[in-house]
Amino acid sequence: MEILSDILKNPKSVSFSENKIKISGLEYDKNMEIEIKETTKKKYTLEQLAYFLCNKHLQYTKYLRECKTKGILSIFYSDQKIILEEVEKENEVESQGRYDLPESKYYSKHDYHWVKDLIAEKTDEILKSKITEKYKIIVSSSLTATVNLSNIEILLTSGSLEKSQDLIFDKTEFKIKSHVFVAEEDIKDWTSDDWNMLVAIFCDGSEWQINEWGIGDVASLFNTVPTFYIVNTRSMNKNDLSGYNVIKWNVVDNKLDDEKYKLMWSKIKNTIKNKK
């Protein structure tokens, strides 16, 4: 972890060669595995970790393209935040200072208990005003899709697939109980933080929807985030999204039945729980 800490503090000191990685003048085997316990994969090579830390500012889709160009295996988006937190935690431990207590002659005899009460009040105010996390949902940009921006809130609220008459462009934000959701159809400019807050995907069954995301490892994405393909007729093509971990439903009467509605929410809630 100390090596990763050095990379994060000084990414310009890192250079990549065919078999080695040079960090602050010292050479390391690029295939050396480093364990990050909380991540999905558990172990990544030094090359993967170093390249990510040096390029952590890149949007996720651009990062994937750069990895493909360089021939470096990418780090899955859900692991990126965990890795950054672990390395930053290491930096904090290194930078902790030691503080000496003042001599007793400097102690005051005045009563300053009111300061403690004031701090407690302010802390409570800060907690109450804490910004609510916004969970992301991907929907289709197709106007004919069974689920899109015009009915995603209605679907999550009641299970109905009836579409609103209001025109909604790009994204829509809404609150259901204690959770705030942002549904979006254009995700090309998403950052790692956006991907880390993704809790559900609603596909329209078309290849172009997936292709326009610009993501290479779609299968891993669908294995991590609950993905739904809902058709409001009985004409679903069995080959649509075949081979992917996608929940496919033919729906009648323009509404999910209770069983499907509960299953949808169960999947989403479990994903939200894992984000905390």
Side-chain angles (χ1 to χ4, degrees), residues 250-264:
N250 270 307
V251 177
V252 294
D253 298 329
N254 220 27
K255 187 174 183 177
L256 295 183
D257 60 38
D258 288 344
E259 184 179 350
K260 290 183 175 66
Y261 183 66
K262 288 177 181 177
L263 178 59
M264 177 184 70

Side-chain angles (χ1 to χ4, degrees), residues 17-247:
S17 62
E18 187 175 351
N19 298 309
K20 300 287 184 180
I21 294 178
K22 185 178 286 188
I23 305 168
S24 300
L26 299 176
E27 287 191 338
Y28 300 89
D29 180 3
K30 73 173 187 178
N31 295 315
M32 176 176 65
E33 289 189 332
I34 297 176
E35 183 176 6
I36 311 289
K37 293 183 179 179
E38 300 299 323
T39 58
T40 304
K41 193 176 177 183
K42 304 301 181 188
K43 288 184 180 181
Y44 284 102
T45 65
L46 177 60
E47 180 183 47
Q48 289 175 282
L49 293 165
Y51 192 75
F52 162 62
L53 292 173
C54 289
N55 296 279
K56 62 184 179 66
H57 60 283
L58 293 179
Q59 293 171 349
Y60 187 66
T61 50
K62 186 174 182 181
Y63 162 74
L64 289 176
R65 289 194 292 269
E66 291 293 324
C67 284
K68 188 174 182 180
T69 301
K70 301 285 185 183
I72 297 173
L73 292 176
S74 62
I75 290 176
F76 194 53
Y77 74 92
S78 62
D79 286 345
Q80 290 188 350
K81 187 175 182 181
I82 296 171
I83 291 168
L84 272 178
E85 287 176 350
E86 288 297 314
V87 179
E88 287 170 352
K89 191 188 302 179
E90 180 73 16
N91 282 345
E92 288 175 6
V93 171
E94 290 178 5
S95 62
Q96 281 179 351
R98 180 175 177 272
Y99 298 93
D100 293 325
L101 291 172
E103 296 180 23
S104 59
K105 66 181 180 180
Y106 295 114
Y107 291 169
S108 173
K109 296 180 180 179
H110 295 289
D111 184 3
Y112 288 108
H113 282 86
W114 60 272
V115 176
K116 181 180 178 181
D117 295 335
L118 179 62
I119 292 173
E121 289 177 9
K122 288 296 180 184
T123 302
D124 189 50
E125 288 177 14
I126 292 170
L127 289 173
K128 287 180 179 178
S129 63
K130 183 181 177 182
I131 299 174
T132 305
E133 290 183 308
K134 297 179 180 180
Y135 297 104
K136 299 281 189 172
I137 297 173
I138 297 175
V139 298
S140 172
S141 59
S142 171
L143 294 176
T144 60
T146 307
V147 180
N148 55 27
L149 291 178
S150 67
N151 66 349
I152 181 62
E153 181 179 0
I154 299 170
L155 172 63
L156 292 180
T157 303
S158 65
S160 173
L161 292 164
E162 293 288 345
K163 293 184 178 179
S164 167
Q165 297 300 313
D166 298 329
L167 289 176
I168 304 174
F169 299 98
D170 298 328
K171 67 175 69 175
T172 180
E173 182 175 320
F174 52 91
K175 186 174 182 179
I176 299 178
K177 295 184 178 179
S178 60
H179 300 309
V180 176
F181 297 94
V182 179
E184 299 188 43
E185 58 186 23
D186 185 358
I187 60 172
K188 291 191 291 292
D189 295 328
W190 270 20
T191 64
S192 295
D193 287 337
D194 292 319
W195 284 104
N196 284 327
M197 297 307 292
L198 180 62
V199 296
I201 301 169
F202 290 87
C203 293
D204 60 16
S206 64
E207 289 292 334
W208 66 264
Q209 182 192 13
I210 296 174
N211 292 337
E212 71 176 1
W213 295 343
I215 299 173
D217 195 3
V218 175
S220 293
L221 177 64
F222 288 174
N223 285 332
T224 307
V225 179
T227 304
F228 305 91
Y229 173 33
I230 303 174
V231 176
N232 201 20
T233 66
R234 296 190 180 278
S235 60
M236 180 185 290
N237 187 333
K238 292 182 179 180
N239 294 323
D240 289 344
L241 302 176
S242 62
Y244 290 119
N245 183 21
V246 176
I247 298 171

